[in-house]
Amino acid sequence: ITDDLNNDIIYQDIISYTYKYIQLKPDMQLIASSIRDNIIDVLIYPQIGIDSISYFLSFSRLATIQSTWLIVPDTTGVNTVDYFLNSDIELASDDNLQSQSHIQLQLSDYYTEKVEYFRHFGCVFIDYYSDIINVIKSQNETKKIRQRQLKQQLDIPKPSHIYLVLSTFHDLNPKFDIIIDQLLTKDPLGVLVIYIINYHG
């Protein structure tokens, strides 16, 4: 479920490992029909609760087994989600197997899903970001021009230090206000710019 990300190298790399790839528009009925038509045995929701579509889809029994992943480290509370795929890293700090088992039992009290543990994170991280950052650093002049354009567009006074936050709205925690308040108190020239990311347009 995504917008057009054909120029995203990370997105393209993920697609290259798939057996079958279907790009869907953010239409709940269309997505549910597509999943049912493909007769999926196991359906994994990486981020239930991050957007309304994945959240409400999870209430339907679209596959024999349905699971959520550790990207959102909390229970869904949805009885059609069977498993929560967690990481054994949170158990690794305790070498006592009995203590580890006790921790697992404690966690299971807080999840409506059955909690299963991957070794490590159960995923591979490929660092494309270092290359991207190097490209950005090599374009200092372009960066300065864009900064000037941004300041003009937002009517930001000169001189100023821009603190840019890229986030989805639901990821902004009220406790973040305290950090921002301390930051702007220490930097009188600081200006906070929050850009809200909307994945579905």
Side-chain angles (χ1 to χ4, degrees):
I1 308 168
T2 182
D3 297 322
D4 187 8
L5 295 173
N6 290 328
N7 295 323
D8 190 309
I9 56 176
I10 299 174
Y11 181 70
Q12 292 301 319
D13 190 64
I14 293 171
I15 291 173
S16 70
Y17 288 96
T18 61
Y19 170 74
K20 184 177 182 179
Y21 164 74
I22 302 173
Q23 183 168 334
L24 298 168
K25 296 295 182 182
D27 181 311
M28 200 173 304
Q29 290 185 342
L30 177 66
I31 295 165
S33 296
S34 179
I35 293 171
R36 288 194 180 100
D37 290 345
N38 282 277
I39 314 176
I40 295 172
D41 294 314
V42 180
L43 176 59
I44 298 176
Y45 293 94
Q47 296 177 307
I48 291 181
I50 289 297
D51 63 45
S52 58
I53 291 179
S54 66
Y55 177 69
F56 287 113
L57 277 176
S58 71
F59 283 88
S60 299
R61 176 58 68 177
L62 302 177
T64 306
I65 297 173
Q66 301 190 154
S67 175
T68 188
W69 203 8
L70 52 76
I71 294 175
V72 179
D74 199 358
T75 182
T76 63
V78 180
N79 60 13
T80 48
V81 180
D82 309 301
Y83 292 93
F84 183 96
L85 303 181
N86 207 346
S87 167
D88 65 359
I89 287 178
E90 64 180 273
L91 306 176
S93 59
D94 197 329
D95 294 330
N96 188 314
L97 291 175
Q98 187 175 358
S99 296
Q100 290 184 9
S101 299
H102 181 64
I103 292 171
Q104 291 184 32
L105 287 173
Q106 280 186 319
L107 286 174
S108 65
D109 292 339
Y110 297 95
Y111 289 83
T112 57
E113 310 85 3
K114 182 178 179 182
V115 183
E116 295 288 346
Y117 290 87
F118 275 123
R119 286 189 61 192
H120 307 299
F121 280 112
C123 59
V124 176
F125 177 74
I126 301 174
D127 184 11
Y128 293 106
Y129 296 99
S130 296
D131 293 337
I132 294 171
I133 289 170
N134 288 334
V135 170
I136 294 171
K137 286 181 177 178
S138 68
Q139 298 175 341
N140 285 331
E141 192 57 38
T142 303
K143 179 183 176 183
K144 290 177 182 178
I145 293 171
R146 289 181 177 175
Q147 281 183 339
R148 286 197 296 268
Q149 291 174 341
L150 179 64
K151 287 181 177 181
Q152 289 174 357
Q153 184 179 355
L154 299 179
D155 196 24
I156 294 173
K158 299 177 183 179
S160 60
H161 302 145
I162 298 176
Y163 294 92
L164 179 63
V165 177
L166 302 176
S167 177
T168 53
F169 183 75
H170 50 262
D171 284 333
L172 292 175
N173 191 295
K175 292 181 179 178
F176 186 57
D177 294 352
I178 299 171
I179 298 171
I180 292 300
D181 180 62
Q182 292 173 349
L183 177 66
L184 296 180
T185 299
K186 290 182 178 180
D187 184 359
L189 296 178
V191 175
L192 177 68
V193 177
I194 300 177
Y195 183 87
I196 299 299
I197 301 168
N198 185 353
Y199 288 114
H200 298 307

